[in-house]
Amino acid sequence: MAAVGPSESSPVARHGLLLTACCLAQFMVILDIAIVNVALPSIQASLGFSAPDLQWVVNAYTITFAGFLMLSGRAADLFGHRRTFVCGLLLFSLASLIGGTAASSQVLVGGRALQGLGGAIMAAASLTIITSSFAAGHERNRAIALWGAMNGAGGATGTLLGGIITQEFSWRWILLINLPIGIAVALIARVVVSDRRSPRAAGGFDLAGALSVTTGLLALVYGIVTAGSHGWGSLEALGPIALGVALLVAFVIVESRFAAAPLVPLSVFSNPLLRVSNIAVVLLSAALFPMWYFASLYLQEVLHMRPLDAGLAFLPMSLTIFACAMQAGRLVARFGAGRVLGCGLSLMAAGLALFARVSVGGDYVSDFMLPSLLVATGIGLSIVPSTIAATATAAPGEAGLASGLVNTSRQMGGALGLAVLASLAVLYTDHLTRVDYLAPILALNDGFHLAFLLGGGLAAVGAIVAFWFIPSTVRPAGGPQAARAADPTGPPAHPALKPLHGVNTGGRAPAGDPPAVHLLAMPERITVGRRQGAAVDAGEVQADAPATRREPRARGGVGRRPAPKPLARVVLSVADGHGWALAPGSMTVSTGASESGQTP
């Protein structure tokens, strides 16, 4: 019995660089959603955006990101992880250069759309790289938790960095700063990321599905935005809306009848919890995205704050979101996803209702900070349980699909919510100015009132959905143990596994090796999976038996029971061309002939 393959010189350093590259990529993706909000008034003044069209700076990014997110994950499996990831980074950097040097509003919107495509490729490929490069268990949980923490870090720092960069340099640098960072991460990824391909990736590339859903959503949002300036009954608005609906219907037909490997298999919606959870996510995002947009405009256009001051004004809110999100997993493990999500959305609704009372001569503390902290608490308590609920009952082979679907719902809900609320706010402001002869600043503030109030209504409907349709029994896989495993700073969710005595341990499996069996001693009872009898990770065998055998006492004997004998936990894996780093304490038993030609 021999170890399989030599260890690499510095696998820890290589994995550290790989994780750093993936986390930086995800940080950039989320940062560029949040960072533009504070810069919106400066962008509007510089490039001459109209009030209805200004939201395209945000929505051009989010729509293309949502439309191509799931296709990008499949592209990584088909064309290779490293190649796809590096292409996404370079595309994102090029798009940032185009947007940062834009001389017109049309060029900036085009650059932002291209940036959203690059961001979708980066986000999908980086998560795929992490899940395929780190061993299942605590090591992978820790890596995914750090990657996921970039969502909070990017959102929390985006508004502050946007204010600093816009005021001290120019709004253009909020985009141009991505260029050197993206190129540096691409160079690191070129060295440390393996160009794996999934053996299950064959079967098709659903480009028609991605194009139909993306162009349909773009046409729908364009029609809604146009309604803000031409009216909801105008042909300019109804034509694009009808086209968007037709393209979305075409997407459903493509997925159900023609796609060999559908982007979204419609059968997944037969799961009622997944269906209801995605509806709640859409409502959450439809209230959340417009809140950032209108709050930034209120601070700078009504309270006349400088960009830096506006960025600092969002800092307590961002820190509160991050702090609450860190505790949300434990709360879900104790109270269930439905209750925590319902409470979070209720707090959001209450905070947005208070935002609807902001005044022209308002005070930062009473008019902005107090409602914002209430909304921030609700956001922090909503994001985690909504994701848990949407993925809790997915079949073992559909976990990635469920995760991608909830992220797509989040972006699409935000894009549609921002388009509808911005359009209605512009129409109402224009009505107050032209018909009621209200002062422009008062009319603008009342338009913000309407948007905040409608956003609160969407959050309230989401809370009703969560309380009524998402059961409180939905909890993270593994309960409190799983919540602890997702904590990047916490202890492992299970005790360390030790190699069986007298057996050599191996490092990475070389290319071309046959399937292998890893045997590890279990010092105590271990449960892998959600519960006894539940499905476990692919490639793992659940071990839920006591770790020791009970030996019968000798007849008539009175002495101590014999020392327990360890049992082996069996983990099955298939070595690919690049090999997998085995966790400390593992060893490999080759199923084929050894190097000496003998079968072990």
Side-chain angles (χ1 to χ4, degrees):
M1 187 178 295
V4 179
S7 299
E8 293 197 0
S9 58
S10 55
V12 175
R14 185 183 183 91
H15 270 194
L17 283 173
L18 183 148
L19 184 57
T20 299
C22 292
C23 287
L24 276 175
Q26 183 65 9
F27 179 81
M28 292 167 64
V29 167
I30 302 302
L31 183 73
D32 270 65
I33 297 176
I35 198 170
V36 298
N37 283 301
V38 176
L40 286 173
S42 300
I43 293 173
Q44 184 179 22
S46 176
L47 298 182
F49 275 93
S50 64
D53 291 339
L54 183 61
Q55 56 88 31
W56 278 112
V57 178
V58 178
N59 267 350
Y61 183 96
T62 56
I63 291 173
T64 52
F65 183 91
F68 287 96
L69 180 62
M70 300 187 73
L71 186 71
S72 299
R74 185 155 184 81
D77 289 337
L78 280 170
F79 304 125
H81 299 173
R82 180 178 61 203
R83 183 180 305 176
T84 306
F85 186 47
V86 170
C87 286
L89 285 162
L90 295 179
L91 180 61
F92 190 86
S93 301
L94 175 63
S96 299
L97 177 63
I98 294 172
T101 57
S104 66
S105 59
Q106 292 83 1
V107 174
L108 176 60
V109 170
R112 287 286 289 170
L114 195 62
Q115 206 179 24
L117 174 59
I121 298 172
M122 289 162 57
S126 62
L127 184 57
T128 302
I129 289 167
I130 287 176
T131 55
S132 64
S133 300
F134 290 87
H138 177 66
E139 184 182 2
R140 185 183 297 173
N141 289 341
R142 180 183 175 88
I144 291 176
L146 289 172
W147 181 88
M150 295 301 103
N151 295 329
T157 58
T159 52
L160 179 60
L161 283 178
I164 295 173
I165 294 173
T166 300
Q167 181 168 311
E168 300 302 323
F169 301 97
S170 166
W171 66 265
R172 296 182 182 277
W173 281 101
I174 66 174
L175 301 175
L176 293 175
I177 195 174
N178 292 319
L179 186 61
I181 299 175
I183 293 175
V185 175
L187 291 175
I188 295 173
R190 186 72 179 83
V191 176
V192 301
V193 176
S194 299
D195 207 23
R196 294 187 179 94
R197 289 175 173 82
S198 172
R200 298 170 298 177
F205 190 67
D206 190 13
L207 182 61
L211 289 176
S212 59
V213 70
T214 305
T215 53
L217 191 60
L218 282 169
L220 185 62
V221 170
Y222 179 80
I224 295 171
V225 172
T226 305
S229 54
H230 292 80
W232 284 88
S234 64
L235 182 62
E236 291 85 350
L238 293 178
I241 290 175
L243 176 61
V245 171
L247 287 170
L248 293 177
V249 171
F251 167 74
V252 174
I253 295 173
V254 167
E255 298 303 284
S256 60
R257 297 187 180 182
F258 300 106
L263 199 64
V264 182
L266 300 183
S267 60
V268 74
F269 292 105
S270 62
N271 183 332
L273 180 59
L274 183 143
R275 186 171 61 245
V276 170
S277 299
N278 276 275
I279 292 173
V281 168
V282 168
L283 292 169
L284 165 64
S285 299
L288 174 60
F289 281 49
M291 184 276 300
W292 293 110
Y293 180 86
F294 289 109
S296 177
L297 293 180
Y298 170 74
L299 289 174
Q300 295 183 73
E301 295 190 353
V302 176
L303 297 187
H304 302 293
M305 285 187 176
R306 298 179 303 166
L308 176 57
D309 295 332
L312 291 171
F314 281 112
L315 186 58
M317 191 176 184
S318 301
L319 295 176
T320 302
I321 293 173
F322 190 75
C324 292
M326 293 294 289
Q327 302 299 320
R330 292 180 175 88
L331 292 174
V332 173
R334 182 173 182 181
F335 300 107
R339 291 173 182 170
V340 178
L341 177 57
C343 289
L345 287 166
S346 298
L347 290 173
M348 271 189 68
L352 288 168
L354 291 177
F355 263 135
R357 300 171 60 251
V358 294
S359 61
V360 173
D363 176 69
Y364 167 70
V365 175
S366 60
D367 282 62
F368 186 86
M369 191 176 77
L370 294 180
S372 72
L373 292 179
L374 197 61
V375 171
T377 304
I379 295 170
L381 295 179
S382 298
I383 294 176
V384 173
S386 64
T387 305
I388 290 173
T391 58
T393 57
E398 294 179 346
L401 172 63
S403 179
L405 187 61
V406 72
N407 286 323
T408 301
S409 297
R410 184 172 290 120
Q411 302 299 327
M412 288 186 173
L416 288 172
L418 178 56
V420 172
L421 267 60
S423 176
L424 293 175
V426 168
L427 278 175
Y428 187 57
T429 300
D430 185 61
H431 171 82
L432 293 176
T433 304
R434 291 189 300 104
V435 178
D436 295 349
Y437 301 104
L438 205 63
I441 188 67
L442 296 175
L444 180 65
N445 193 65
D446 285 352
F448 293 160
H449 285 178
L450 177 64
F452 285 130
L453 195 60
L454 292 174
L458 291 171
V461 173
I464 295 172
V465 170
F467 279 128
W468 193 263
F469 295 103
I470 299 179
S472 59
T473 53
V474 176
R475 287 173 167 81
Q481 285 282 81
R484 285 195 294 271
D487 182 0
T489 61
H494 54 72
L497 299 173
K498 299 179 181 179
L500 292 178
H501 179 69
V503 179
N504 294 328
T505 59
R508 299 169 71 89
D513 260 22
V517 182
H518 311 292
L519 302 180
L520 304 99
M522 294 196 305
E524 56 183 274
R525 183 182 180 91
I526 297 175
T527 300
V528 181
R530 290 174 221 163
R531 58 189 180 277
Q532 188 166 359
V536 296
D537 290 342
E540 250 184 10
V541 177
Q542 180 164 349
D544 197 29
T548 59
R549 305 185 203 269
R550 293 183 179 272
E551 295 289 345
R553 293 186 180 182
R555 293 181 180 271
V558 184
R560 290 186 177 182
R561 182 178 299 177
K565 297 179 181 180
L567 295 180
R569 173 176 180 246
V570 182
V571 179
L572 302 177
S573 66
V574 179
D576 59 11
H578 305 280
W580 282 67
L582 301 180
S586 65
M587 63 107 186
T588 302
V589 183
S590 176
T591 58
S594 63
E595 292 180 3
S596 61
Q598 299 177 348
T599 303

